Amino acid sequence: MATVTSEQERGALTHPDVQSFSQVNRDILKVLSRPGRGWWALFLAATAGMVVFFGAWGYLVARGMGVAGLNNPVGWGALITTFVFWVGIAHSGTLISAILFLFRAPWRQSIYRAAEAMTVFAVMTAGLFPLIHLGRVWHGYWLIPYPNERFLWPNFRSPLLWDVFAVTTYFTVSAVFFYLGTIPDVAAARDQAKGLRRKLYELVSLGWRGTDREWHHFGKAYVFLAAFATPLVLSVHSVVSWDFAMSIVPGWHATIFAPYFVAGAIFSGVAMVITLAVPMRKLFKLEAYLTVRHFDAMAKLLILTSLIVLYAYLTEFFMAWYSGEEVERSSFWNRVFGPYWWATWTMLVCNGLVPVLLWFRRVRRSIPALFVISIFINIGMWFERFVIIVTSLSHEYIPFAFGMYRPTWVEMAIVLGSFGWFFFWFLIFTRVLPPVAIAELKEVLPAPFRRGAEKEAAA
Amino acid sequence: MAQTHSPGEIPLRYLPRSPRASLVSALLVLGGGAAFGFALFRDPQLAWRAYVVNWLYFTSVAAGALVLYSVWVITKARWCWPVRRIALAFAAFLPFSFLLFLPMLGLREDYFPWIEAMGHDPVVQRKAAYLNIPFLLTRNLVGLALLFGVFLYMAYRSLRPDLGLANSSGGAGQERGRRSWAERLTQNWGGQEHEEVSSHRRLATLAPVAVILYAVVMSVVAFDWAMSLEPHWFSTLFGGWFFMGAFWGGVAATAWTAVYVKRQDPDLGKLIGSQQLHDLGKLTFAFTVFWAYLFWSQYLVIWYGKLPWEQLWVVKRSEDPWALLSLMTILLCFVIPFAGLLGRKPKMTPWSLRLFTSVILVGLWLERYLMVVPSVHDGHPPITLLEPAVGLLFLGVFLASVRWFLTTFPVVQVWQPMVEGELLEAEGKGGSRRGAAV
């Protein structure tokens, strides 16, 4: 056997069941045609979730923040937890599309479009939560610094304000990056569409014709944006972590928070990509494109990030003990053995123990197993944020001011309903934009032969 | 994405031996040894601090390079083929690092302030289960032995198939050193095919183990030999900052050595293309930014929190007499390499890549120095010529060992079953391919 070197030959290895360029167009664009029953079922469920989401939010607005379980020591609860959770989910999209692009990891090709879409929708979901948490959502624009007649400015030294900038910048860049990547594929969809759809695709694809010159500029812009988005992946969740770490609340004030949150974000994001990719693959018959190898590679990313997260957990526990400070020690003792022990143990088991299964090749290559593990990780990562936020606040400074927090049904409805809102957008995405990058996939496939040769090669 | 050099027909090539380089290393060792002796005579505390700083620095760089190699194994990277073994060459320093570590085990009150503080300081007393000499010695010895052991075994496994080729083709030539090492490391030879597959498998299994061990052991090293010197101070990021800095040093040192090797031998110069330099430059650049990120993450939290016991460490380093050195560290570790390596050209041009990696390696030395010395030393002047002079001892050993590796073993790995090794496993063949041994 000859040494395998060229990208083409590698692609043939990664996608053994994809024979030709035309097959890619056929298979991927078919997803955009009439949806099946499975899609409609999911879409209805998502819409129902969205109704619950907005219903509960409306109730919260109408009745006031009193219907949330927030109280004096615990001023941040399930809503802020879920904000951090969704921002975290958003991370792996850019990791897969930008960082793996710069690292020249070819397996990203099949998965990155869905991951990027997930990023955009996850930020859209996350962005709502601080607004919900405001209570009087119509005052949300106060977060934005703008010149006004009273010379009132937000506090620029507040990490909460940094967060506004970080998240909006991230949203802008990832949306632009997402859009840029879709242009050649939308053009491919345009060429097959008819009627109104065609008109829309024409508009969105900016008149893409696939000339050399266009590809040249496209490539430049893509690399540039990838390089630009890479530090953003680190910055956003670092800033989110500083919402906590800047304070001196025991359990929040830790120097490791920024890289620890980033790793956790990528961890949960990759898990969510798997959670989304498994049904998508099944529903739209994309088995030839999202192969076991892609899942295997993502599982390896999960191993890496779970190890970093585990390292952070252990370091935090060790340092709390090592500090010799009574408050630090008591705060971490309370996490593991206090009233919220169940949340902490859920987090430790889901994020530290369950991913150990991924060390086995058989597990990494079993799609049902990965699906289940990814859901465990999603749960674990939600609880991680819950543990950090709620246990630290409930057990803050003096014992007199300790207090417990319990989310109310309104908060839980908003939290669960947000999944409806997220999936609503994601499901629409799968029907409007090619969910797998057509053009990039072709880069790794063998170039087409003339007709005769193709038959010969197939035979 | 094109690769300038695909691993195909790779000749067995060695770095030419150079009496001049050996002489330089010998002089460095002698000079550094003399400086250390002089320092011991003048001020033993200063001498030992300088010794520890240098040990931390050179061990960091060597272990970091080995982690880079492990990462390449794990990710099945192929762009790095011509420079893979250069990163591996730093394994040659590890046995010496271990030997040089042994004298440090004798350090007590003159190095660790917490031994004295244990008598009267209640906060330090609460740490007694961790901060005590028997446990410190045990965890360091066992940890380093394990880590270095795994790294050296990986080096051995990576070399073995090539040495078999050298034996069978006479590729090692008439050099006695090369031949005897080739024979020594290929005992119980099981046939080329078999050796390649088993080496490939073992490397693939051990590389993740090595990386995990590295993170744990280097964190412990950082806590024990740097953080504990300020017994009240603690930072959860300290271990991560230390070992990621070390990894970055390993990347920079690999890039530096790649340029060196490229210039030493025209054939190797052709194998190590500007594409490899570009990629090594990118990695160096990326981890320069990452270093700054970690530095900032730690600094910002401490600055904002303003807790007395926490900011002490930072305040000390931002006041006289350390302020200037801290500023220089930031310049050398971030500002200069960031500006210098931002473009494409400087990464691909050998001299500029060498210049900026040198800047980084000097900056990293200062960083390690500042991690240790300000915690325990208040006198003026902050840094004398003695600390770098003691470093010459380490530098001599370091250069000689790495150069010995590159002259004794093939610089570019010839055997290559890793190319789609997975595919072969999937097909149940478990075969291997290799280039012609010249």
Side-chain angles (χ1 to χ4, degrees), chain A residues 1-7 10 13 101-106 108-109 155-159 162 231 234-235 237-238 241-242 245-248 252-260 262 293 296 300 304 307 311-312 315-329 359 361 364-365 440 443, chain B residues 1-3 6-8 74 76 78-79 123 126-131 208-209 212 215-216 219 223 227-228 230-240 243 275 279 282-283 287 289-290 293-294 296-307 309-310 416 419-420 422-427 429 433:
Chain A
M1 234 165 102
T3 313
V4 180
T5 45
S6 73
E7 292 291 326
R10 285 195 107 185
L13 290 171
F101 176 74
L102 295 181
F103 276 133
R104 298 198 297 248
R108 71 180 260 291
Q109 261 117 353
N155 180 3
F156 286 101
R157 267 203 187 179
S158 162
W162 309 344
L234 286 125
S235 78
H237 225 62
S238 300
S241 82
W242 292 334
M246 290 298 119
S247 72
I248 50 169
W252 282 10
H253 185 74
T255 48
I256 205 171
F257 254 40
Y260 156 44
V262 172
R293 289 175 135 244
D296 182 81
K300 284 180 182 162
L304 171 70
L307 283 174
Y311 173 86
T315 311
E316 277 206 305
F317 285 122
F318 169 72
M319 276 301 162
W321 174 85
Y322 174 85
S323 72
E325 297 291 329
E326 205 50 62
V327 237
E328 283 281 329
R329 282 187 174 186
W359 284 92
R361 191 190 168 81
R364 285 202 305 271
R365 301 205 153 217
E440 275 211 42
E443 280 175 19
Chain B
M1 291 199 188
Q3 277 178 295
S6 55
I74 295 170
K76 305 196 185 79
R78 294 172 311 145
W79 63 269
V123 176
R126 272 180 241 148
K127 310 182 184 197
Y130 185 79
L131 291 182
V209 177
I212 294 171
V216 175
S219 299
F223 296 159
M227 196 175 80
S228 78
E230 193 83 73
H232 280 215
W233 187 71
F234 58 94
S235 162
T236 37
L237 188 52
F238 197 77
F243 71 68
Q275 188 64 45
D279 285 339
K282 283 192 236 173
L283 274 185
F287 283 96
V289 181
F290 195 72
Y293 166 70
L294 291 184
W296 177 248
S297 301
Q298 178 172 284
Y299 177 80
L300 185 71
V301 171
I302 293 174
W303 173 78
Y304 210 113
K306 220 169 165 55
L307 295 170
W309 63 85
E310 200 179 44
Q416 39 180 300
V419 183
E420 293 310 325
E422 265 193 0
L423 185 81
L424 295 170
E425 281 164 45
E427 288 170 3
K429 282 186 186 162
R433 280 144 280 115

Side-chain angles (χ1 to χ4, degrees), chain B residues 131-299:
Chain B
L131 291 182
N132 61 72
I133 288 294
F135 186 35
L136 180 121
L137 299 186
T138 324
R139 64 180 177 252
N140 276 281
L141 268 179
V142 172
L144 289 172
L146 262 176
L147 179 68
F148 291 178
V150 171
F151 278 148
L152 285 170
Y153 184 74
M154 283 176 67
Y156 162 66
R157 271 291 156 189
S158 157
L159 287 173
R160 206 171 138 92
D162 274 5
L163 297 179
L165 279 178
N167 280 337
S168 61
S169 67
Q174 294 308 307
E175 267 281 357
R176 267 182 52 214
R178 281 175 198 161
R179 282 196 24 206
S180 72
W181 273 99
E183 278 157 21
R184 219 174 299 168
L185 293 184
T186 50
Q187 277 159 9
N188 303 324
W189 186 249
Q192 189 68 28
E193 195 93 337
H194 171 77
E195 288 293 335
E196 289 185 7
V197 173
S198 82
S199 272
H200 170 62
R201 294 229 165 106
R202 284 183 201 186
L203 282 174
T205 317
L206 278 178
V209 177
V211 174
I212 294 171
L213 258 178
Y214 168 80
V216 175
V217 173
M218 293 305 258
S219 299
V220 170
V221 166
F223 296 159
D224 291 351
W225 297 94
M227 196 175 80
S228 78
L229 301 184
E230 193 83 73
H232 280 215
W233 187 71
F234 58 94
S235 162
T236 37
L237 188 52
F238 197 77
W241 181 33
F242 185 88
F243 71 68
M244 284 316 289
F247 173 68
W248 172 51
V251 175
T254 306
W256 193 95
T257 316
V259 175
Y260 173 78
V261 169
K262 188 175 161 67
R263 293 204 164 169
Q264 288 288 306
D265 183 88
D267 288 332
L268 288 171
K270 269 180 228 144
L271 281 170
I272 302 171
S274 54
Q275 188 64 45
Q276 272 71 36
L277 297 189
H278 187 195
D279 285 339
L280 284 172
K282 283 192 236 173
L283 274 185
T284 312
F285 177 78
F287 283 96
T288 302
V289 181
F290 195 72
W291 178 87
Y293 166 70
L294 291 184
F295 169 80
W296 177 248
S297 301
Q298 178 172 284
Y299 177 80

Side-chain angles (χ1 to χ4, degrees), chain A residues 57 60-61 64-66 68 70 75-76 79-80 83 127-144 160 164 414:
Chain A
W57 185 4
L60 184 95
V61 169
M65 281 305 278
L70 302 173
W76 286 358
L79 295 177
I80 297 297
F83 161 70
L128 293 179
F129 276 88
L131 297 177
I132 301 173
H133 183 81
L134 280 181
R136 292 181 220 172
V137 59
W138 49 94
H139 287 168
Y141 70 96
W142 287 7
L143 286 166
I144 300 160
L160 302 183
V164 176
I414 291 176

